Amino acid sequence: MTDAPDLSPLALVLQADPVVQGVMALLLLASLAGWAVILEKAVALRGLAREARRLAAQAAQPDQPPPGGEGLAAAAMRAGQAEWREGREAAETAGEFRARIEHAMRASVAARLRGAEPGLPLLATIGSVSPFIGLFGTVWGIMHSFAGIAAQGDTSLATVAPGIAEALFATAVGLVAAIPATIAYNRCATRLSRIRQEALAAATAIAHRLARQPRVFAGGRAAAE
């Protein structure tokens, strides 16, 4: 009686065709890269969410000290206050002055949020491409298995099962790489969008408040209220 074939994951990888092994190795690297991006984005987005809340708190409670440091909230406040300190040009309307302050703050917020975007396209690529790479490994493995069956002239289950299992395992590895990457991309994109909305809304409110504070024209004359 022949021994049953070893169908453990390690055995399937070691016994697979070299092309299928290469596909599995590529998918493993893609999975590791995806998880590295996921962990980095989790930390980065947590920090950005905290900074957006600080900026929103500054908009809701103008009497509190402005945020310090080099984060999103402090950078946006510095950008807005720099425009406010320059004062309103003599030919500039109050609305234009307010829009200039708001534009500076929103540009600062956008620049900080763009720093969190690198890596997201990689997650999207891994999530969309990995299943097809695994499917390629499966198709190649099945073709190789059929070639072996034809060479041996034996179609028994014991002969067919190992090759088919090795081929299908490539698809499973592709799904293991793709599913976390797709979920993480969707969650990160959604969270980044919410952070952007909160921060930009706070920047708009702060810019409107700054524009109403006493200020001077660029020529040094006090602005009329």
Side-chain angles (χ1 to χ4, degrees):
M1 181 177 180
T2 59
D3 295 334
D6 186 359
L7 299 180
S8 64
L10 180 59
L12 292 177
V13 172
L14 296 178
Q15 297 170 9
D17 180 80
V19 174
V20 179
Q21 289 179 337
V23 168
M24 292 181 184
L26 179 61
L27 292 172
L28 177 60
L29 291 176
S31 180
L32 293 176
W35 277 107
V37 173
I38 290 170
L39 295 177
E40 188 271 330
K41 294 306 169 193
V43 175
L45 291 178
R46 186 179 296 112
L48 286 174
R50 182 171 57 251
E51 289 294 321
R53 289 193 296 269
R54 292 179 66 189
L55 193 62
Q58 186 69 33
Q61 301 175 355
D63 295 334
Q64 66 178 345
E70 299 297 328
L72 179 149
M77 287 298 300
R78 284 196 299 268
Q81 289 173 344
E83 292 293 332
W84 175 76
R85 291 191 187 98
E86 288 186 5
R88 179 156 61 96
E89 298 288 343
E92 190 176 36
T93 66
E96 290 171 340
F97 180 54
R98 181 176 64 248
R100 177 155 58 89
I101 296 174
E102 181 179 350
H103 175 74
M105 296 188 69
R106 291 172 70 92
S108 177
V109 169
R112 294 285 172 158
L113 293 179
R114 279 196 299 270
E117 292 178 355
L120 293 182
L122 177 62
L123 286 181
T125 301
I126 293 173
S128 60
V129 174
S130 292
F132 296 101
I133 296 176
L135 183 60
F136 168 76
T138 295
V139 172
W140 184 275
I142 291 176
M143 291 172 56
H144 184 264
S145 179
F146 283 164
I149 293 172
Q152 296 180 15
D154 185 1
T155 59
S156 65
L157 183 61
T159 302
V160 175
I164 300 298
E166 295 163 10
L168 293 177
F169 189 65
T171 296
V173 175
L175 294 176
V176 168
I179 291 173
T182 301
I183 294 174
Y185 173 79
N186 291 332
R187 289 180 62 87
C188 289
T190 300
R191 192 174 185 188
L192 187 60
S193 177
R194 291 175 179 172
I195 293 171
R196 179 180 288 107
Q197 293 175 2
E198 182 179 8
L200 292 179
T204 298
I206 294 171
H208 285 204
R209 186 180 73 238
L210 286 175
R212 292 194 300 268
Q213 292 181 2
R215 57 200 180 275
V216 297
F217 289 110
R221 184 164 55 84
E225 295 296 337

